[in-house]
Amino acid sequence: MKIIGIDIGGTGVKGVIIDEKGEVYVKDSIPTEAEKGADNLVKNIAAMIENMLSASDISKSEVAGVGVGCPGLIDSRHGTVVFAGNLYIKDYPLSSEISKRTGLSARITNDANAAALGEARFGAGRKYEDSILVTLGTGVGGGIVIGGRLFEGGSSAGTEIGHTVIVENGIKCTCGRRGCFERYASARALTAQTRAAMVKNPGSPMWKTYDKNSVCGKTPFDYMDDDPVAKSVVDGYIKHLACGIVNVANVFRPQVVMLGGGVSEQGERLTKPLQEIVDREIFVGTEYAPVKVVKATLGSDAGAFGAASLWIEN
Amino acid sequence: MKIIGIDIGGTGVKGVIIDEKGEVYVKDSIPTEAEKGADNLVKNIAAMIENMLSASDISKSEVAGVGVGCPGLIDSRHGTVVFAGNLYIKDYPLSSEISKRTGLSARITNDANAAALGEARFGAGRKYEDSILVTLGTGVGGGIVIGGRLFEGGSSAGTEIGHTVIVENGIKCTCGRRGCFERYASARALTAQTRAAMVKNPGSPMWKTYDKNSVCGKTPFDYMDDDPVAKSVVDGYIKHLACGIVNVANVFRPQVVMLGGGVSEQGERLTKPLQEIVDREIFVGTEYAPVKVVKATLGSDAGAFGAASLWIEN
């Protein structure tokens, strides 16, 4: 059985053909051209699918279906994109349009869900039934797999873990609330925390030697061994991140929490202190159902692999 | 088809025989006698089951099974009570012991889950596929039904919504964390908030006329129409409660959040302002997947009904 996985991003669309064991037959990518609208996007995705099929010499009769991960609010049951601001798409029947153009059945889910399913099937979660992917990027994204199945919440509109408040009346969030997890634990938040600490401590090594215009989530980690200011930024960030992760773990009780996104590149410098806090704070302790914290392994491939996995039965 | 539902509480055990439509054939209750241990509890439950069967003239061959809601950490897949402090039970195979004594198959779940399933099938959630029961008692309990199915999280150990932090570094919780939802939104928390406001405002009507020893969650609601101090307690409490409810709603996106426990008796004085906050704060608004806030309707019957519902296919 072959499956086609499509991961739609704000600037690029990735495609892959795999089998149920995760063997890759072909990969491809195209620009999203979001500003040209949904029909153009579907036309280009259909063309990429045809290209991948001919490049890999796979016939459509061998293909179980097309899985698509798409940003925004997705109605997976009806195969529609309810709203995807970055793609200028609203109430669009993406599944049926892809089917019309390709003659293949299509399933869709939110891109964060797709990435979580990819990591669960073929990445850091492959040994576990219950896993969560927490992506630390511009925001904090979450995807949840429990009992080997993708959990999307009611109306496939749940798992917005980045928009759960951890600091009541805290920093204003783009979603309209105050104190959301992602205002404290995203890469963008870490960058802001780093800048604030630098401005407050102009004598610190980080302040003295770093190019102020290129401060990012990596900066405090680069300096933490020799700069107490950098170290305190990292420690503070990890406390915020742990707070949200334990919240999610107490609600979903996964066997593993996988960290994705740029910040996760810090590996054990992040996962080790997080593991200590999770072990200390998880509800009723670690004896019955421990929760591991690890780095995700598929990187930017997770979405397309996970989208394809929408066609793999548990 | 008849089903037996058992709801184990700290002081009493409730039993019911219903059919899949929720028609009640017989009810019974016995004291828990927690201090006498698990075997005694099972023996008494088995005797109650025999009594209910003979009182209703139902034969065991008509019974699909026994469903049990039990406090504590439950391994529902294996039918064991991992840990139930109030019952002095640890690692006990409750399902198989009940089966041995009754000759009937048994399934168990956590008591909060059972109550949520009861409300979902036969109570305030019966018109909805996706519902959450939030119980405002000594703590804050949660049970989640998505797509008509009970969601227990990984290892059936999730849905501990009371132990998600909404105030980082806030009030110390019994679970070891700081700032948990239940430290701000339980009936006990509301009582503490009321006492604190009274002490701070000895001139208030609430302070002047209320018996200080009987302050409870009802107190500020009784006075709110004429006492600004009481009103501000209620307003503050509702803000905390709304914070946790929107968090849960953003993660599970239910069609309905049902409030149970003593505080929920306040009805619209609670649900109306909560609905306003939920509608304002829910992720990407109410257009696609609105979330209603209502009072639960089954009261203390929810647990036994929900336990029985473990045998009703979706």
Side-chain angles (χ1 to χ4, degrees):
Chain A
M1 182 178 84
K2 311 290 187 296
I3 326 158
I4 299 171
I6 305 289
D7 182 25
I8 304 176
T11 56
V13 180
K14 294 184 171 206
V16 68
I17 301 182
I18 62 170
D19 62 20
E20 67 272 29
K21 289 185 175 141
E23 189 170 333
V24 179
Y25 294 90
V26 62
K27 280 184 180 188
D28 203 351
S29 66
I30 52 170
T32 306
E33 301 180 334
E35 69 290 351
K36 293 192 184 168
D39 285 332
N40 178 71
L41 176 63
V42 168
K43 195 187 74 188
N44 290 346
I45 287 173
M48 177 169 67
I49 288 173
E50 299 294 345
N51 286 341
M52 289 197 295
L53 288 169
S54 55
S56 59
D57 203 21
I58 291 171
S59 75
K60 284 188 183 175
S61 63
E62 296 172 71
V63 175
V66 180
V68 183
C70 181
L73 186 60
I74 306 298
D75 180 345
S76 61
R77 196 184 296 186
H78 299 102
T80 55
V81 180
V82 179
F83 180 69
N86 292 340
L87 302 177
Y88 309 98
I89 297 181
K90 197 169 183 306
D91 293 325
Y92 186 79
L94 187 62
S95 283
S96 63
E97 290 298 323
I98 287 177
S99 294
K100 264 190 229 167
R101 289 227 181 228
T102 61
L104 294 163
S105 297
R107 293 175 182 170
I108 65 173
T109 191
N110 172 273
D111 58 345
N113 292 342
L117 190 57
E119 287 287 347
R121 297 270 183 189
F122 301 116
R126 69 191 176 285
K127 292 185 201 151
Y128 305 96
E129 273 205 311
D130 311 311
S131 63
I132 292 182
L133 175 66
V134 178
T135 306
L136 309 168
T138 313
V140 172
I144 287 142
V145 174
I146 297 290
R149 293 159 57 110
L150 183 62
F151 180 81
E152 297 180 305
S155 311
S156 62
T159 78
E160 289 293 346
I161 65 167
H163 299 289
T164 56
V165 166
I166 63 168
V167 181
E168 210 182 22
N169 305 317
I171 302 170
K172 184 92 181 156
C173 183
T174 51
C175 77
R177 304 185 77 192
R178 282 189 171 277
C180 283
F181 183 28
E182 78 168 36
R183 301 323 294 173
Y184 297 85
S186 63
R188 181 182 282 183
L190 175 54
T191 303
Q193 290 155 17
T194 306
R195 275 186 210 281
M198 286 168 76
V199 169
K200 216 172 155 185
N201 300 277
S204 67
M206 191 161 62
W207 169 269
K208 280 189 195 150
T209 61
Y210 214 86
D211 171 7
K212 273 62 168 184
N213 295 318
S214 65
V215 172
C216 68
K218 199 168 160 285
T219 312
F221 287 97
D222 285 347
Y223 281 76
M224 64 182 280
D225 292 336
D226 305 304
D227 181 344
V229 172
K231 178 78 167 64
S232 80
V233 170
V234 169
D235 290 348
Y237 172 76
I238 286 174
K239 270 185 198 160
H240 294 308
L241 180 55
C243 181
I245 284 178
V246 176
N247 279 358
V248 174
N250 278 349
V251 170
F252 290 102
R253 200 71 180 210
Q255 294 163 293
V256 65
V257 174
M258 308 174 289
L259 302 179
V263 183
S264 73
E265 294 303 324
Q266 298 304 324
E268 283 201 350
R269 297 218 273 190
L270 206 59
T271 56
K272 220 178 142 192
L274 281 173
Q275 185 72 64
E276 280 169 23
I277 301 175
V278 167
D279 287 349
R280 193 169 66 231
E281 295 202 357
I282 190 85
F283 191 66
V284 298
T286 58
E287 201 187 328
Y288 169 61
V291 178
K292 282 193 71 150
V293 182
V294 303
K295 185 177 166 306
T297 57
L298 296 184
S300 63
D301 282 340
F305 274 69
S309 303
L310 291 171
W311 288 91
I312 302 175
E313 296 304 316
N314 183 29
Chain B
M1 181 178 86
K2 311 290 188 296
I3 326 158
I4 298 171
I6 305 289
D7 181 26
I8 303 176
T11 56
V13 179
K14 294 184 171 208
V16 68
I17 302 183
I18 62 169
D19 63 19
E20 68 271 29
K21 289 187 175 140
E23 188 170 333
V24 179
Y25 294 89
V26 61
K27 280 184 180 189
D28 203 351
S29 65
I30 52 172
T32 307
E33 301 179 335
E35 67 290 351
K36 294 191 185 169
D39 286 332
N40 178 73
L41 176 63
V42 169
K43 196 186 73 187
N44 291 346
I45 288 173
M48 177 170 66
I49 287 173
E50 298 295 344
N51 286 342
M52 288 197 295
L53 288 169
S54 55
S56 59
D57 203 21
I58 291 171
S59 74
K60 284 188 181 173
S61 63
E62 295 171 71
V63 175
V66 180
V68 183
C70 181
L73 187 59
I74 306 297
D75 180 345
S76 61
R77 197 184 297 186
H78 299 103
T80 55
V81 180
V82 179
F83 180 69
N86 292 341
L87 303 177
Y88 309 98
I89 297 181
K90 196 171 184 305
D91 292 326
Y92 186 80
L94 187 63
S95 283
S96 63
E97 290 297 324
I98 287 177
S99 294
K100 264 190 230 166
R101 290 227 178 229
T102 61
L104 294 164
S105 298
R107 292 175 182 170
I108 64 174
T109 191
N110 172 274
D111 58 345
N113 292 342
L117 190 57
E119 287 288 347
R121 297 269 183 188
F122 301 116
R126 69 191 178 284
K127 290 187 203 149
Y128 305 96
E129 274 205 311
D130 312 312
S131 63
I132 293 182
L133 177 66
V134 177
T135 306
L136 308 169
T138 314
V140 172
I144 288 142
V145 174
I146 297 289
R149 294 160 56 110
L150 183 62
F151 180 81
E152 297 180 304
S155 311
S156 61
T159 76
E160 290 294 346
I161 65 165
H163 299 288
T164 55
V165 166
I166 63 167
V167 181
E168 211 182 22
N169 305 315
I171 301 171
K172 184 92 180 157
C173 182
T174 51
C175 77
R177 305 185 76 192
R178 282 189 171 278
C180 284
F181 182 28
E182 79 170 35
R183 302 323 294 172
Y184 297 85
S186 63
R188 183 183 280 183
L190 175 55
T191 304
Q193 289 155 16
T194 307
R195 275 186 210 282
M198 286 168 77
V199 170
K200 217 172 151 184
N201 300 276
S204 67
M206 191 160 62
W207 169 268
K208 280 189 195 150
T209 60
Y210 214 87
D211 171 8
K212 272 62 169 183
N213 296 317
S214 64
V215 172
C216 68
K218 199 168 160 288
T219 312
F221 287 97
D222 285 347
Y223 282 76
M224 65 184 281
D225 291 337
D226 305 305
D227 182 343
V229 172
K231 179 76 167 64
S232 79
V233 170
V234 169
D235 289 348
Y237 171 76
I238 285 173
K239 272 186 197 158
H240 294 309
L241 180 55
C243 181
I245 284 178
V246 176
N247 279 358
V248 173
N250 277 349
V251 170
F252 290 102
R253 200 71 180 211
Q255 293 162 293
V256 65
V257 174
M258 307 173 290
L259 301 179
V263 184
S264 72
E265 293 304 323
Q266 297 305 323
E268 284 202 348
R269 296 217 275 191
L270 206 59
T271 55
K272 219 178 143 194
L274 281 172
Q275 185 71 64
E276 280 169 23
I277 301 175
V278 167
D279 287 349
R280 194 170 63 232
E281 295 202 358
I282 191 82
F283 191 65
V284 298
T286 57
E287 200 187 329
Y288 169 61
V291 178
K292 279 193 73 147
V293 182
V294 304
K295 186 177 166 306
T297 56
L298 296 185
S300 62
D301 283 339
F305 273 69
S309 303
L310 291 171
W311 289 91
I312 302 175
E313 297 303 318
N314 183 29

